[in-house]
Amino acid sequence: ELQALFRSLHAFSAPRFVRPEAKCGHGDDGIVHVAMHVRRGDVGHASGYAVPQQLGARGFGQWLCDLASALGASRLLLHVHTEASGRSRAALRRAVKRGELPWLRFEPQEDDQEAVYHTSAALDPAPSCGAVVPRVHLAVNNNPREALLCMARADVLVTSFSSLGWVAALLHEGVVFHPDVDHEKAGEKTHWDLRDQYLDWAENWFRIADVRRRPADVQAAWRSPLRMRPAASSVDPA
């Protein structure tokens, strides 16, 4: 019965069953698509929930370069799923100025005041390697179901201390990175961040530091024949 339950859960997130409203942006098969969850608490300057906060803006950019190297990826694109404060690009730009998203830059556009669900930003500072695409796809103001589906279907998942990211990790058949142990004691623990629940560690789960510490193991998990990668035609581009 338990196996049947997990088969149903994986069918729920399987790429071949993508619903038309789930615009994940994973349309290019030549790019490694990395999904990262930035929960509402993550945008607080001192929360310490998000990996960019834990590593710093420059350190996070370097980590993406190290990830591309470990995977042997020639192109890597970051997709951020967030409930960050701000329903427009102008509001998101103000959030950057307040120090809530200091690792992103939103250039002014004509539609700055309009509500957005999918938009783009630039990594700031720009990554030091050519493999990481400087442009970032952001899915904002969307529903949790769509965020869960898209995070579960990305090639790589980066979680934060969040139940939504943890559930996506359970469904994910690619490579998953959780925050390092050093950051589990950062900030006040809440009942929803599940810092003590990373106990049943899956073979495709790693810590952020494992990109440098265990690159061979990361690449082995990446090349596993059990990993199901979404086809280019299976999702709608953002």
Side-chain angles (χ1 to χ4, degrees):
E1 293 182 0
L2 185 60
Q3 290 181 346
L5 172 62
F6 275 92
R7 280 198 298 269
S8 297
L9 288 171
H10 280 90
F12 169 77
S13 64
R16 61 183 178 276
F17 297 125
V18 174
R19 295 175 62 87
E21 70 271 19
K23 294 179 171 58
C24 302
H26 306 163
D28 191 336
D29 231 9
I31 293 180
V32 174
H33 297 279
V34 179
M36 182 173 68
H37 184 220
V38 178
R39 52 163 278 109
R40 188 179 298 277
D42 293 336
V43 299
H45 185 63
S47 70
Y49 284 3
V51 171
Q53 284 186 332
Q54 295 160 9
L55 300 182
R58 191 172 300 278
F60 178 61
Q62 184 58 52
W63 182 84
L64 290 173
C65 289
D66 293 340
L67 174 62
S69 177
L71 300 181
S74 58
R75 298 292 280 170
L76 185 148
L77 175 63
L78 179 65
H79 304 261
V80 176
H81 297 270
T82 182
E83 311 88 28
S85 57
R87 296 185 176 276
S88 67
R89 288 182 59 85
L92 289 168
R93 193 161 54 250
R94 290 193 293 271
V96 171
K97 291 182 178 180
R98 291 195 300 270
E100 296 178 0
L101 296 169
W103 47 283
L104 292 177
R105 185 177 72 255
F106 295 87
E107 297 294 344
Q109 293 183 181
E110 292 183 1
D111 59 350
D112 264 7
Q113 301 300 328
E114 297 180 8
V116 293
Y117 294 89
H118 294 271
T119 189
S120 63
L123 288 169
D124 190 18
S128 59
C129 62
V132 177
V133 178
R135 175 179 56 86
V136 177
H137 165 225
L138 278 89
V140 295
N141 306 319
N142 61 347
N143 63 70
R145 178 186 179 279
E146 181 174 325
L148 173 60
L149 286 171
C150 292
M151 287 192 291
R153 290 171 178 143
D155 295 318
V156 178
L157 173 62
V158 180
T159 71
S160 56
F161 295 124
S162 160
S163 56
L164 183 63
W166 186 73
V167 172
L170 290 177
L171 299 174
H172 204 279
E173 295 181 332
V175 183
V176 177
F177 291 94
H178 293 299
D180 289 328
V181 176
D182 294 346
H183 300 287
E184 290 187 351
K185 297 181 180 179
E188 183 178 353
K189 186 180 295 186
T190 61
H191 67 277
W192 60 74
D193 61 28
L194 303 179
R195 301 184 197 191
D196 297 327
Q197 301 303 314
Y198 298 155
L199 303 178
D200 298 325
W201 204 261
E203 292 183 359
N204 61 325
W205 287 14
F206 296 91
R207 295 289 186 178
I208 291 295
D210 287 337
V211 165
R212 293 182 179 177
R213 264 190 330 216
R214 302 167 54 202
D217 293 334
V218 170
Q219 188 169 88
W222 169 249
R223 298 189 181 282
S224 169
L226 298 178
R227 188 172 60 87
M228 294 176 58
R229 299 189 63 187
S233 60
S234 64
V235 291
D236 296 325

